[in-house]
Amino acid sequence: MLKWVLVAGASLVVACAPRRDYTVVEGVMLGTSLRVVADVEGIGRQGLYAAVMELDREAKASMSIFDEGSLLSRLNRNLTDSVDRHIAYCLRLADSIGALSDGRYDVTVKPLVEAWGFAGKERAAEPDIDSLLEFVGREKVAVCDGRLVKADARVQLDFNSVAKGYTVDLLARLVERFGAQNYLVDIGGEVRCRGVNRQGGPWRIGVETPFDGNMTDGEYVQKRVRLSDGGLATSGNYRRFYIDGEGRKVAHTIDPRTGRSAVSRLLSVTVAAPTCAEADALGTMFLAMGADDALAAARRMPGVKVYFILAGADDYEEYVSPAMQELIMN
């Protein structure tokens, strides 16, 4: 989970810079926290809030797996085969990230996520993993002429690994349409920013310490990331998990190859990318890979901006990719 704070002023020049007039909107979006700070023009806080809430309704009506009436839910139940621009975009992005993942990132994972109790349904006592894997696989679904084609009617899509990040990007475009040159938009800790904050410095986003059950609102911060443009997202298995009857941790990140929870000593993955949707999907991909494979994959991707927090023998271990190092603040 990411938390952001304004820069206090790194130098006399920054501290003495004129304060910009920013509009601040806070509330709930996609069922989680919302915060917008932007130098919008020609629209007040109430007008901006109304526009944001309209976007919230549009995003949930398209991509929510928790709303039985959403387009995605109806596609999953085979009540329609028509896709909108949001679902088409998320499928295209899933293809590009999936190609990097060796099968670890796959948005057809919904039957498995549901069986383990992470899709708004009660978990199965003994999930029949082998049977569920028969209709999991990105090659089993395609979009042709605006319609979803399934190789098996039981194939279902889950965009929880990308939809929030994608909606952050839509929110960024919204404030840009209202003239914002400098902004930070945050939905549930996933952010997209541009320009500078009120003090004229870069935005600072805190990465939470990933101990199990950390539900605080930024009280424990492991590192801060300095960002002036692009998206940032963190994936972790320290909030959405449970302990099963045999004392094993079962987390919401599922490996589509095995059908089981992807729990390893990799506790948290933070990714910076041009868009928040990319950062969101890549974070899930690395987390599903587990520690060793994620580290190996990151080292094969010289331009990737990632910050990993891993469980060590006595304390946390960290990996910061070369491209990410300039963004990390100690």
Side-chain angles (χ1 to χ4, degrees):
M1 182 66 70
L2 300 168
K3 296 296 174 187
W4 66 274
V5 293
L6 298 179
V7 174
S11 69
L12 182 62
V13 173
V14 170
C16 295
R19 292 175 65 87
R20 290 161 169 80
D21 185 16
Y22 282 63
T23 298
V24 179
V25 167
E26 295 180 305
V28 175
M29 187 170 187
L30 303 184
T32 188
S33 60
L34 161 74
R35 186 171 174 90
V36 177
V37 182
D39 58 352
V40 293
E41 301 173 355
I43 188 170
R45 189 184 66 81
Q46 289 184 338
L48 181 58
Y49 179 78
V52 171
M53 289 299 97
E54 179 57 35
L55 176 59
D56 179 49
R57 287 188 288 271
E58 179 182 339
K60 289 189 289 193
S62 172
M63 298 174 287
S64 174
I65 63 169
F66 303 105
D67 180 352
E68 292 293 327
S70 74
L71 177 57
L72 184 59
S73 292
R74 288 184 286 122
L75 285 164
N76 283 339
R77 300 200 308 274
N78 302 304
L79 300 179
T80 183
D81 61 0
S82 296
V83 302
D84 63 6
R85 65 187 180 96
H86 305 309
I87 289 172
Y89 176 91
C90 289
L91 279 170
R92 287 195 301 271
L93 180 60
D95 279 343
S96 64
I97 302 300
L100 304 173
S101 73
D102 190 28
R104 259 73 72 90
Y105 182 77
D106 192 324
V107 292
T108 66
V109 75
K110 182 178 182 293
L112 294 166
V113 175
E114 186 174 284
W116 290 111
F118 296 107
K121 306 287 186 181
E122 186 175 350
R123 67 178 184 262
E126 294 291 339
D128 188 348
I129 301 302
D130 290 340
S131 294
L132 294 174
L133 285 173
E134 291 181 10
F135 42 97
V136 171
R138 182 61 188 87
E139 73 283 355
K140 294 178 169 63
V141 65
V143 175
C144 299
D145 298 323
R147 299 192 177 280
L148 191 69
V149 179
K150 299 180 181 181
D152 188 310
R154 297 170 296 176
V155 173
Q156 297 184 62
L157 301 171
D158 181 344
F159 289 149
N160 278 359
S161 62
V162 65
K164 186 165 65 170
Y166 171 62
T167 305
V168 169
D169 294 329
L170 295 178
L171 185 53
R173 291 180 209 163
L174 176 68
V175 299
E176 288 175 1
R177 288 201 299 271
F178 288 118
Q181 298 295 315
N182 304 279
Y183 61 81
L184 185 144
V185 298
D186 173 350
I187 302 175
E190 299 191 1
V191 305
R192 176 88 177 254
C193 66
R194 178 179 172 184
V196 297
N197 62 27
R198 284 188 175 97
Q199 288 76 28
W203 303 97
R204 291 171 60 189
I205 302 108
V207 180
E208 288 186 335
T209 306
F211 57 85
D212 280 356
N214 181 5
M215 302 299 290
T216 64
D217 190 18
E219 182 177 348
Y220 301 93
V221 174
Q222 190 75 7
K223 281 286 192 295
R224 286 181 170 83
V225 179
R226 182 190 298 110
L227 200 63
S228 296
D229 187 40
L232 195 72
T234 288
S235 295
N237 281 328
Y238 56 95
R239 282 190 170 176
R240 294 182 62 200
F241 72 91
Y242 59 86
I243 304 301
D244 69 11
E246 298 182 12
R248 297 171 300 192
K249 181 178 179 179
V250 180
H252 75 283
T253 304
I254 305 299
D255 184 340
R257 303 172 314 160
T258 65
R260 300 187 180 278
S261 181
V263 175
S264 75
R265 71 184 191 96
L266 180 58
L267 306 177
S268 172
V269 177
T270 298
V271 181
T275 68
C276 195
E278 293 172 82
D280 196 2
L282 283 167
T284 299
M285 180 195 82
F286 283 121
L287 196 65
M289 285 181 166
D292 293 341
D293 287 350
L295 287 164
R299 289 170 177 142
R300 290 195 302 268
M301 302 165 65
V304 73
K305 298 178 181 178
V306 297
Y307 166 50
F308 295 164
I309 304 176
L310 307 99
D314 300 310
D315 201 353
Y316 296 115
E317 297 176 6
E318 299 177 329
Y319 169 77
V320 182
S321 68
M324 188 69 156
Q325 288 177 357
E326 65 181 21
L327 303 182
I328 293 289
M329 304 174 66
N330 293 315

